[in-house]
């Protein structure tokens, strides 16, 4: 499966504590985007996206998580960026899983992007222990 870029929705976004880490991967650009899912704020100080099927209505709105689509020159640059970001996101430790998700850009264009997500099996625990953000935007915590 091939992705067109990366979707970031938490501390890697502009204004986030790890945005500089993202910028050192030399992206070509960032644009506002949405991924279908539910967003939670964890007590550890970062968000968790649980993917879901696309809502009936286009973004923004319920069932969409706001973030940025990050583009790279080519697949090699994207792979290099992911190799740099995976340790930060705790992929090897199982904190997040990286998977390709459909992403909708601000202008309505659709692409496929890697996103760091929590698996749906963790949803019951998130519903008990985390704060769900119904508007799908982690910006107030940046």
């Amino acid at each position: 499966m091939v992705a067109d870029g990366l979707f970031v929705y938490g501390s890697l976004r502009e204004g986030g504590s790890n945005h500089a880490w993202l910028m050192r991967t030399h992206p070509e650009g960032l644009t506002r985007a949405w991924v279908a899912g539910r967003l939670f704020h964890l007590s550890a100080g970062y968000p968790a996206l649980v993917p879901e099927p696309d809502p009936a209505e286009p973004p923004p709105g319920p069932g969409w998580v706001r973030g940025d689509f990050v583009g790279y020159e080519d697949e090699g640059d994207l792979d290099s960026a992911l190799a740099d970001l995976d340790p930060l996101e705790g992929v090897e430790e199982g904190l997040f899983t990286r998977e390709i998700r459909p992403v909708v850009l601000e202008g309505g264009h659709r692409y496929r992007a890697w996103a760091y997500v929590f698996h749906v099996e963790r949803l019951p625990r998130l519903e008990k222990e985390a704060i769900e953000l119904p508007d799908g935007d982690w910006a107030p915590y940046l």
Side-chain angles (χ1 to χ4, degrees):
M1 217 180 269
V2 177
D4 302 302
L6 173 66
F7 177 77
V8 298
Y9 56 91
S11 65
L12 292 171
R13 282 174 59 184
E14 190 168 355
S17 60
N18 289 319
H19 184 68
W21 192 307
L22 174 69
M23 295 311 292
R24 77 179 198 187
T25 68
H26 307 293
E28 276 206 305
L30 291 83
T31 188
R32 183 180 301 198
W34 291 265
V35 165
R38 293 173 66 185
L39 189 64
F40 295 85
H41 175 69
L42 306 174
S43 60
Y46 50 85
L49 163 64
V50 177
E52 292 197 329
D54 281 6
E57 297 294 319
W64 292 101
V65 173
R66 159 71 168 91
D68 294 318
F69 175 80
V70 184
Y72 289 88
E73 177 74 31
D74 57 35
E75 195 173 333
D77 286 351
L78 176 57
D79 289 343
S80 177
L82 294 170
D84 193 43
L85 294 170
D86 282 357
L88 175 70
E89 296 294 330
V91 172
E92 284 189 25
E93 295 84 17
L95 180 60
F96 286 93
T97 301
R98 180 168 43 88
E99 59 183 58
I100 296 176
R101 304 295 310 162
V103 61
V104 180
L105 274 54
E106 189 167 36
H109 296 296
R110 292 181 172 265
Y111 291 97
R112 298 175 60 76
W114 286 109
Y116 294 99
V117 302
F118 267 37
H119 273 290
V120 71
E121 301 90 47
R122 296 166 88 174
L123 188 55
R125 186 169 178 188
L126 285 172
E127 290 174 331
K128 288 180 194 170
E129 299 175 8
I131 301 167
E132 185 164 7
L133 305 176
D135 69 351
D137 193 350
W138 200 66
Y141 295 95
L142 289 174

